[in-house]
Amino acid sequence: MDQGEIIQNDEYFYGGSEPVYPSPEMTGSGGWKEAFDSAKEFVGKMTLDEKISLTAGANSETSCPGFLPAISRLKFPGMCLADAGQGVRGTDFVSSWPSGIHVGASWNKELTLARGKGMGGEFRTKGVNILLGPVVGPAGRVVSGGRNWEGFASDPYLSGVLVGETVKGVQGVGVIASTKHFVANEQETNRNPGNGAEAVSSNIDDRTMHEIYLWPFQDAVRAGTGSIMCSYQRVNNSYGCANSKTQNGLLKTELGFQGGVVSDWGAQHAGVATAEAGMDMAMPNGGDFWGSHLKDAIKNGTVPESRLDDMVIRTIASWYQMGQDKDFPGPGVGMPKDLTKPHRIVDARNSSFKSTLFDGAVEGHVLVKNIRKALPLKTPKLLSIYGYSAKNPDENNPTDGLSPWLMGSGSFDYQEFGAGFFGWSGATPGTTGIAFNGTLYSGGGSGATSQSLAISPYDAIIQQAYEDDTALFWDFHNGKPAVDPVSSACLVLGNAWAAEGADRPGLRDDYTDDLILHVASQCNNTVVIFHNAGIRLVEEFIDHPNVTAVIFAHLPGQASGKALVSILYGKENPSGKLPYTVARNESDYGNMLRPDQPEGIFRKFPQSNFTEGVFVDYRHFDENKIKPRFEFGFGLSYTTFRYANLAVEKDSNKSFEEFPKGKIVEGGQEDLWDVLVRVEAEVENNGEVEGKEVAQLYLGIPETGREGEKVPVRQLRGFEKVSIGVGETKKVVFELTRRDLSVWDVRGQKWRLGRGEFKVEVGGSSRDLPLVGKFTV
């Protein structure tokens, strides 16, 4: 076709995503046999109409965003599906938990598991059967992506470990986790069809798909996730919820997924095609595609009834698997339709998880600069506070309908948020990078939290100042405030806003940079704190001699202020590490900086070509020899650590054959999880206070020599967070599995363990790796 001719229909793209049919039926493998057998028997008693009713959402007298209707004849109570991965949204008497990016910055497996349990317990008490989260897609490829804050990290290994712990925690209390958004949902721009264009297509090669984007979903499936949510955008020009390669091929065949696939809300764009491609449940309803139309397709043989049975079996099996057939609360019992009307109080908060909320908030703070012993503060005589992110928003109050409180945008311009999320006119989404009207506990959109109580930094600082008899000045309004030069310290609190529905306009903003420089020009001890829903660049001020400390405070949830003050005053030692790379310049991120736009012949079919392959985040910086400002895995402490005594040992009893031979279990071939190499190291606290260190292991996999199989210089393949007393030494142990050592073989369609010398590096960040070893395969 002529290069100037705009592509008008999908025929141009046919074959871009490999067809994989039929949709595999659930087998009940592994620990699912009892639930599968029960579900199969249960579904065998259903009429055709009853089965159809469990393939799509229905209206209810609750505020559950999704609801499966009851079948009273069979004593099935129905199911409530509710947001989101950071806590229950849209109801009262719940906690605001640290967001995904905050959990990623904690690098703490045990705390992540505890958060999953505590958060899952609140969903259970509220009668939510399916928690719509956790998020590992987006994976952080588009650096300015609007939903990156909902996920854990810009690294598949770190995300995979933390999603596994989250799924175990949530499902351990009987709530089904719906890991999302499957797969390669990396930008908000053109995520849905509209304005004469289809949704953007994420175009990914097979190896990159496996090594970057599918990797954390593999961990979620291995952890037993009962649900997967298919995504809005297209993958290789086939819509996510109608993509037979990703759903039938990757998820249900290769990974042996035993649960059900639910659509993102309104992500279904076809009827028969989505059924055949492996989608099992349409939300929020059957719309123009399922419901009576699915019934017609079953009756005329277009869709076999066995496919319908499998859809329902997968949903009901998850219900049985989590024990929801026993003593689970009624669906949506704590989700009143309108909080402004009288309703029964269902208090889901559990005081035994207060420490988890607090510790989680503390450990996601990352200290990246601290000179002249600026921190911790020691009973300052005069403290001055500046910046719009210090105080609570003026309103934290539900109103009927689509309130800012419901959407997590109380601190932001609600008209601009609505333009991105709801398509309102009158504002341009993605033009404002900060939330001027108060501090951030989470980002905005369906992943937002609903604060029933929240402590701002200002709230907590006032309490501490009262106890210390510290004089306190503040100005949260002016961009060029008056500054008392005798201040013991000046705190400047800004933020970086992000929300579903729009990508960020940039990675910094002039207003906040100018505020910081103005204060620093008059105060020789200026401490900068960002509540950042994504990467925030700092070049404008980071080298200013009066900027003595910088903290990325991320999105801490309700204990935000309390956690920050505990760090500022040294009651807690900061231990967070960056789950992404902070560049010096936006251009350092290359083509991954901004979302792709419709252009040229693809104006009606936007394309996003992942030409960087596996070289995302620190892999990209290493490959292109770009020096970051703060590298992936970096974070300071009030103490120092020394690494020593690296030991690398291969397991001679295990097979080091080139390809795995195990049967398919949840997560893939079972021998992918065989531990082949064990690495030990010692970490000593040689500083002056007790602290926690995240010891990180990076692996250099030997080059294969095959075309198109260039490997990164190093890849994270292990981390352990340990608490170490002054003068104490702790041993850390890393177990490397077959999958950890392998690359995806496109020809063999399996993970291949290469031959040659593997480099092992251990240390405190991706560029601070004092211990170096090797082994040969």
Side-chain angles (χ1 to χ4, degrees):
M1 66 180 295
D2 188 288
Q3 281 302 102
E5 186 179 342
I6 299 172
I7 296 164
Q8 298 293 332
N9 60 62
D10 258 332
E11 291 180 11
Y12 180 90
F13 303 103
Y14 284 177
S17 183
E18 175 191 348
V20 179
Y21 299 104
S23 185
E25 293 185 7
M26 183 181 180
T27 61
S29 63
W32 285 81
K33 185 179 186 313
E34 188 177 333
F36 171 68
D37 289 344
S38 296
K40 198 169 183 180
E41 180 183 353
F42 189 81
V43 173
K45 299 174 184 176
M46 289 183 182
T47 65
L48 178 59
D49 285 336
E50 286 170 341
K51 287 188 281 191
I52 294 287
S53 75
L54 296 188
T55 63
N59 293 330
S60 76
E61 290 305 308
T62 72
S63 60
C64 300
F67 199 91
L68 287 184
I71 303 175
S72 55
R73 183 179 70 86
L74 298 176
K75 297 181 180 177
F76 177 70
M79 297 177 75
C80 168
L81 296 78
D83 303 318
Q86 352 283 327
V88 189
R89 182 175 73 98
T91 193
D92 50 12
F93 298 101
V94 293
S95 303
S96 172
W97 295 81
S99 292
I101 192 172
H102 206 86
V103 176
S106 79
W107 293 65
N108 190 320
K109 301 173 193 177
E110 293 78 15
L111 197 50
T112 303
L113 178 66
R115 170 181 175 267
K117 289 178 179 176
M119 196 165 63
E122 295 193 8
F123 278 84
R124 180 188 178 102
T125 301
K126 288 290 187 179
V128 178
N129 302 80
I130 301 180
L131 182 161
L132 300 173
V135 169
V136 287
R141 176 197 179 256
V142 177
V143 182
S144 56
R147 299 190 79 173
N148 290 352
W149 62 274
E150 296 184 47
F152 299 108
S154 298
D155 175 79
Y157 182 89
L158 178 55
S159 291
V161 171
L162 298 180
V163 78
E165 295 300 320
T166 302
V167 168
K168 290 173 193 172
V170 168
Q171 297 194 163
V173 297
V175 173
I176 300 165
S178 185
T179 307
K180 62 186 187 182
H181 307 84
F182 191 74
V183 60
N185 182 189
E186 295 300 314
Q187 66 179 61
E188 293 299 281
T189 303
N190 291 108
R191 68 174 184 163
N192 278 315
N195 299 319
E198 295 296 321
V200 67
S201 176
S202 298
N203 301 326
I204 312 176
D205 67 88
D206 188 36
R207 181 183 162 216
T208 300
M209 173 63 83
H210 283 82
E211 294 188 20
I212 302 294
Y213 301 98
L214 187 64
W215 182 291
F217 283 101
Q218 185 171 11
D219 286 304
V221 173
R222 177 166 167 76
T225 188
S227 175
I228 293 283
M229 182 188 291
C230 55
S231 56
Y232 282 126
Q233 91 303 334
R234 292 146 71 102
V235 181
N236 295 332
N237 286 290
S238 173
Y239 272 105
C241 294
N243 193 307
S244 64
K245 171 62 177 178
T246 57
Q247 295 181 144
N248 290 341
L250 298 180
L251 182 61
K252 291 185 174 180
T253 300
E254 186 184 313
L255 299 189
F257 174 59
Q258 294 297 298
V261 176
V262 60
S263 76
D264 204 338
W265 269 231
Q268 185 182 28
H269 302 296
V272 170
T274 52
E276 292 180 334
M279 197 184 88
D280 302 303
M281 187 193 300
M283 281 292 160
N285 51 57
D288 297 330
F289 301 109
W290 279 8
S292 62
H293 303 291
L294 181 57
K295 183 178 179 179
D296 291 342
I298 299 293
K299 282 188 166 182
N300 66 27
T302 308
V303 175
E305 191 163 357
S306 59
R307 173 79 269 263
L308 173 64
D309 288 347
D310 184 58
M311 294 177 191
V312 184
I313 286 170
R314 286 174 175 272
T315 298
I316 297 299
S318 292
W319 184 70
Y320 278 117
Q321 180 76 350
M322 307 312 157
Q324 294 184 0
D325 59 312
K326 295 185 174 67
D327 58 351
F328 203 85
V333 67
M335 305 289 288
K337 201 172 187 68
D338 184 352
L339 291 176
T340 66
K341 302 280 174 57
H343 57 275
R344 173 188 169 194
I345 290 178
V346 178
D347 194 340
R349 298 168 299 174
N350 184 334
S351 60
S352 63
F353 282 96
K354 275 188 175 179
S355 61
T356 304
L357 283 156
F358 174 73
D359 291 344
V362 168
E363 295 201 21
H365 285 71
V366 183
L367 178 66
V368 294
K369 182 179 182 180
N370 190 24
I371 61 173
R372 303 201 305 267
K373 295 186 176 179
L375 295 179
L377 301 174
K378 298 179 176 64
T379 320
K381 195 73 176 170
L382 169 61
L383 200 59
S384 296
I385 315 171
Y386 307 100
Y388 50 88
S389 202
K391 69 176 185 66
N392 271 321
D394 294 334
E395 183 180 314
N396 183 60
N397 192 37
T399 56
D400 187 22
L402 302 172
S403 65
W405 174 84
L406 177 66
M407 308 311 300
S409 57
S411 299
F412 191 65
D413 183 302
Y414 194 46
Q415 193 66 35
E416 184 181 334
F417 168 79
F421 191 85
F422 300 115
W424 293 346
S425 59
T428 303
T431 58
T432 307
I434 59 179
F436 271 111
N437 301 317
T439 197
L440 298 180
Y441 296 103
S442 74
S446 62
T449 59
S450 296
Q451 287 77 237
S452 296
L453 172 71
I455 304 170
S456 74
Y458 176 57
D459 296 332
I461 291 167
I462 279 185
Q463 183 63 40
Q464 185 65 48
Y466 178 80
E467 293 175 9
D468 292 344
D469 201 24
T470 296
L472 207 60
F473 290 154
W474 62 87
D475 185 338
F476 306 142
H477 177 70
N478 291 301
K480 295 189 183 301
V483 179
D484 189 328
V486 302
S487 300
S488 307
C490 298
L491 309 181
V492 183
L493 291 96
N495 62 44
W497 162 261
E500 180 181 2
D503 293 308
R504 296 168 61 197
L507 306 183
R508 48 166 293 274
D509 72 280
D510 289 337
Y511 178 88
T512 310
D513 285 349
D514 289 347
L515 169 64
I516 293 165
L517 290 170
H518 172 80
V519 173
S521 70
Q522 300 170 69
C523 180
N524 65 5
N525 188 19
T526 299
V527 176
V528 177
I529 298 122
F530 284 110
H531 294 104
N532 54 314
I535 294 170
R536 212 297 183 177
L537 301 190
V538 295
E539 288 309 296
E540 297 298 312
F541 60 82
I542 193 67
D543 289 326
H544 194 293
N546 288 345
V547 174
T548 53
V550 176
I551 296 174
F552 289 123
H554 296 113
L555 302 172
Q558 69 183 48
S560 174
K562 187 179 177 186
L564 176 63
V565 166
S566 73
I567 290 170
L568 291 176
Y569 285 82
K571 298 173 186 176
E572 297 283 343
N573 192 344
S575 63
K577 303 268 189 171
L578 295 176
Y580 48 73
T581 299
V582 178
R584 293 172 182 266
N585 301 293
E586 289 192 337
S587 59
D588 290 343
Y589 295 106
N591 71 313
M592 294 173 283
L593 173 63
R594 302 192 190 283
D596 287 292
Q597 303 282 348
E599 58 184 3
I601 65 171
F602 299 110
R603 264 174 281 173
K604 293 188 176 182
F605 295 89
Q607 304 292 299
S608 181
N609 300 315
F610 291 27
T611 53
E612 71 286 340
V614 299
F615 296 98
V616 295
D617 201 75
Y618 65 88
R619 295 167 174 82
H620 162 78
F621 282 78
D622 289 344
E623 175 67 15
N624 294 284
K625 297 179 171 57
I626 301 169
K627 185 179 180 182
R629 168 56 68 176
F630 299 120
E631 71 271 18
F632 177 84
F634 173 76
L636 298 173
S637 167
Y638 293 152
T639 190
T640 55
F641 301 98
R642 188 178 70 87
Y643 286 78
N645 298 328
L646 182 71
V648 181
E649 183 180 5
K650 294 196 309 184
D651 189 337
S652 58
N653 297 316
K654 295 288 174 62
S655 167
F656 282 79
E657 291 185 48
E658 193 172 18
F659 292 103
K661 293 183 176 179
K663 66 180 181 181
I664 299 292
V665 296
E666 280 184 283
Q669 289 184 271
E670 61 182 347
D671 47 343
L672 286 174
W673 313 99
D674 287 350
V675 175
L676 303 186
V677 177
R678 180 184 170 97
V679 178
E680 294 182 357
E682 292 181 348
V683 186
E684 178 192 3
N685 181 345
N686 59 357
E688 298 176 356
V689 292
E690 181 181 355
K692 292 179 180 176
E693 171 68 337
V694 181
Q696 303 163 43
L697 181 149
Y698 293 82
L699 192 65
I701 297 174
E703 291 281 1
T704 64
R706 296 189 184 184
E707 185 179 352
E709 287 195 0
K710 188 172 179 59
V711 298
V713 173
R714 62 183 58 86
Q715 300 183 75
L716 181 70
R717 285 296 184 262
F719 65 93
E720 295 295 332
K721 190 165 194 176
V722 287
S723 180
I724 312 175
V726 177
E728 186 181 9
T729 298
K730 286 276 183 76
K731 179 189 288 186
V732 290
V733 177
F734 308 96
E735 294 184 329
L736 301 177
T737 66
R738 171 180 278 276
R739 184 181 68 147
D740 293 335
L741 308 183
S742 299
V743 295
W744 179 255
D745 187 273
V746 174
R747 279 179 274 183
Q749 286 295 291
K750 288 187 175 184
W751 289 96
R752 188 179 79 251
L753 180 58
R755 311 289 99 169
E757 185 174 280
F758 290 73
K759 185 177 182 181
V760 177
E761 299 174 287
V762 174
S765 79
S766 62
R767 293 205 170 188
D768 177 19
L769 299 163
L771 303 184
V772 181
K774 62 184 179 181
F775 63 91
T776 304
V777 174

mmCIF file of all heavy atoms in Angstrom, residues 380-395:
data_model
loop_
_atom_site.group_PDB
_atom_site.id
_atom_site.type_symbol
_atom_site.label_atom_id
_atom_site.label_comp_id
_atom_site.label_asym_id
_atom_site.label_seq_id
_atom_site.Cartn_x
_atom_site.Cartn_y
_atom_site.Cartn_z
ATOM 1 N N PRO A 380 15.225 20.020 66.759
ATOM 2 C CA PRO A 380 15.503 21.326 66.145
ATOM 3 C C PRO A 380 14.849 22.468 66.925
ATOM 4 O O PRO A 380 13.763 22.315 67.492
ATOM 5 C CB PRO A 380 14.896 21.193 64.748
ATOM 6 C CG PRO A 380 13.888 20.081 64.863
ATOM 7 C CD PRO A 380 14.430 19.135 65.880
ATOM 8 N N LYS A 381 15.535 23.606 66.963
ATOM 9 C CA LYS A 381 15.011 24.786 67.670
ATOM 10 C C LYS A 381 13.863 25.415 66.874
ATOM 11 O O LYS A 381 12.836 25.786 67.435
ATOM 12 C CB LYS A 381 16.141 25.801 67.869
ATOM 13 C CG LYS A 381 15.824 26.882 68.892
ATOM 14 C CD LYS A 381 15.855 26.314 70.306
ATOM 15 C CE LYS A 381 15.634 27.422 71.326
ATOM 16 N NZ LYS A 381 15.416 26.855 72.682
ATOM 17 N N LEU A 382 14.079 25.540 65.546
ATOM 18 C CA LEU A 382 13.061 26.105 64.670
ATOM 19 C C LEU A 382 12.985 25.264 63.396
ATOM 20 O O LEU A 382 14.006 25.047 62.723
ATOM 21 C CB LEU A 382 13.393 27.562 64.310
ATOM 22 C CG LEU A 382 12.556 28.189 63.184
ATOM 23 C CD1 LEU A 382 11.072 28.223 63.550
ATOM 24 C CD2 LEU A 382 13.059 29.589 62.838
ATOM 25 N N LEU A 383 11.798 24.811 63.079
ATOM 26 C CA LEU A 383 11.571 24.019 61.871
ATOM 27 C C LEU A 383 10.596 24.786 60.984
ATOM 28 O O LEU A 383 9.552 25.255 61.453
ATOM 29 C CB LEU A 383 10.977 22.659 62.252
ATOM 30 C CG LEU A 383 11.082 21.508 61.249
ATOM 31 C CD1 LEU A 383 12.533 21.213 60.908
ATOM 32 C CD2 LEU A 383 10.416 20.261 61.829
ATOM 33 N N SER A 384 10.948 24.957 59.708
ATOM 34 C CA SER A 384 10.066 25.623 58.754
ATOM 35 C C SER A 384 9.623 24.614 57.703
ATOM 36 O O SER A 384 10.449 23.833 57.196
ATOM 37 C CB SER A 384 10.791 26.792 58.082
ATOM 38 O OG SER A 384 11.132 27.782 59.032
ATOM 39 N N ILE A 385 8.324 24.611 57.379
ATOM 40 C CA ILE A 385 7.761 23.622 56.448
ATOM 41 C C ILE A 385 7.131 24.353 55.269
ATOM 42 O O ILE A 385 6.346 25.288 55.454
ATOM 43 C CB ILE A 385 6.674 22.751 57.127
ATOM 44 C CG1 ILE A 385 7.128 22.280 58.501
ATOM 45 C CG2 ILE A 385 6.320 21.567 56.250
ATOM 46 C CD1 ILE A 385 6.017 21.613 59.290
ATOM 47 N N TYR A 386 7.449 23.876 54.065
ATOM 48 C CA TYR A 386 6.928 24.487 52.851
ATOM 49 C C TYR A 386 6.432 23.391 51.894
ATOM 50 O O TYR A 386 6.876 22.252 51.936
ATOM 51 C CB TYR A 386 8.014 25.325 52.157
ATOM 52 C CG TYR A 386 8.651 26.331 53.080
ATOM 53 C CD1 TYR A 386 9.893 26.080 53.674
ATOM 54 C CD2 TYR A 386 8.004 27.523 53.385
ATOM 55 C CE1 TYR A 386 10.480 27.000 54.535
ATOM 56 C CE2 TYR A 386 8.570 28.452 54.249
ATOM 57 C CZ TYR A 386 9.808 28.183 54.816
ATOM 58 O OH TYR A 386 10.366 29.092 55.672
ATOM 59 N N GLY A 387 5.522 23.800 51.045
ATOM 60 C CA GLY A 387 5.093 22.885 49.981
ATOM 61 C C GLY A 387 3.700 22.329 50.177
ATOM 62 O O GLY A 387 3.253 22.048 51.292
ATOM 63 N N TYR A 388 3.026 22.141 49.063
ATOM 64 C CA TYR A 388 1.619 21.739 48.993
ATOM 65 C C TYR A 388 1.371 20.293 49.415
ATOM 66 O O TYR A 388 0.228 19.909 49.664
ATOM 67 C CB TYR A 388 1.138 21.937 47.545
ATOM 68 C CG TYR A 388 2.068 21.299 46.536
ATOM 69 C CD1 TYR A 388 1.909 19.974 46.157
ATOM 70 C CD2 TYR A 388 3.158 22.019 46.006
ATOM 71 C CE1 TYR A 388 2.794 19.378 45.278
ATOM 72 C CE2 TYR A 388 4.034 21.432 45.127
ATOM 73 C CZ TYR A 388 3.859 20.111 44.760
ATOM 74 O OH TYR A 388 4.744 19.504 43.896
ATOM 75 N N SER A 389 2.433 19.468 49.510
ATOM 76 C CA SER A 389 2.230 18.058 49.844
ATOM 77 C C SER A 389 2.437 17.774 51.322
ATOM 78 O O SER A 389 2.553 16.620 51.725
ATOM 79 C CB SER A 389 3.151 17.158 49.009
ATOM 80 O OG SER A 389 2.639 15.835 48.937
ATOM 81 N N ALA A 390 2.463 18.822 52.136
ATOM 82 C CA ALA A 390 2.664 18.633 53.574
ATOM 83 C C ALA A 390 1.363 18.337 54.309
ATOM 84 O O ALA A 390 1.344 17.593 55.288
ATOM 85 C CB ALA A 390 3.330 19.867 54.172
ATOM 86 N N LYS A 391 0.281 18.927 53.830
ATOM 87 C CA LYS A 391 -0.978 18.851 54.583
ATOM 88 C C LYS A 391 -1.989 17.942 53.891
ATOM 89 O O LYS A 391 -1.832 17.561 52.736
ATOM 90 C CB LYS A 391 -1.580 20.247 54.722
ATOM 91 C CG LYS A 391 -2.105 20.834 53.424
ATOM 92 C CD LYS A 391 -2.771 22.169 53.648
ATOM 93 C CE LYS A 391 -3.402 22.715 52.364
ATOM 94 N NZ LYS A 391 -4.527 21.894 51.889
ATOM 95 N N ASN A 392 -3.060 17.617 54.621
ATOM 96 C CA ASN A 392 -4.159 16.868 54.024
ATOM 97 C C ASN A 392 -4.932 17.741 53.044
ATOM 98 O O ASN A 392 -4.966 18.970 53.190
ATOM 99 C CB ASN A 392 -5.120 16.372 55.116
ATOM 100 C CG ASN A 392 -4.731 15.013 55.657
ATOM 101 O OD1 ASN A 392 -4.302 14.136 54.917
ATOM 102 N ND2 ASN A 392 -4.867 14.837 56.966
ATOM 103 N N PRO A 393 -5.549 17.128 52.054
ATOM 104 C CA PRO A 393 -6.474 17.903 51.214
ATOM 105 C C PRO A 393 -7.600 18.466 52.066
ATOM 106 O O PRO A 393 -7.877 17.965 53.161
ATOM 107 C CB PRO A 393 -6.984 16.876 50.195
ATOM 108 C CG PRO A 393 -6.730 15.543 50.814
ATOM 109 C CD PRO A 393 -5.517 15.704 51.666
ATOM 110 N N ASP A 394 -8.253 19.482 51.567
ATOM 111 C CA ASP A 394 -9.301 20.141 52.343
ATOM 112 C C ASP A 394 -10.513 19.256 52.542
ATOM 113 O O ASP A 394 -11.350 19.527 53.411
ATOM 114 C CB ASP A 394 -9.732 21.444 51.656
ATOM 115 C CG ASP A 394 -8.624 22.476 51.654
ATOM 116 O OD1 ASP A 394 -7.761 22.417 52.548
ATOM 117 O OD2 ASP A 394 -8.610 23.326 50.751
ATOM 118 N N GLU A 395 -10.635 18.213 51.744
ATOM 119 C CA GLU A 395 -11.824 17.369 51.819
ATOM 120 C C GLU A 395 -11.429 15.894 51.738
ATOM 121 O O GLU A 395 -10.646 15.487 50.887
ATOM 122 C CB GLU A 395 -12.763 17.712 50.658
ATOM 123 C CG GLU A 395 -14.073 16.951 50.647
ATOM 124 C CD GLU A 395 -14.935 17.358 49.469
ATOM 125 O OE1 GLU A 395 -15.060 18.574 49.216
ATOM 126 O OE2 GLU A 395 -15.472 16.461 48.792
#
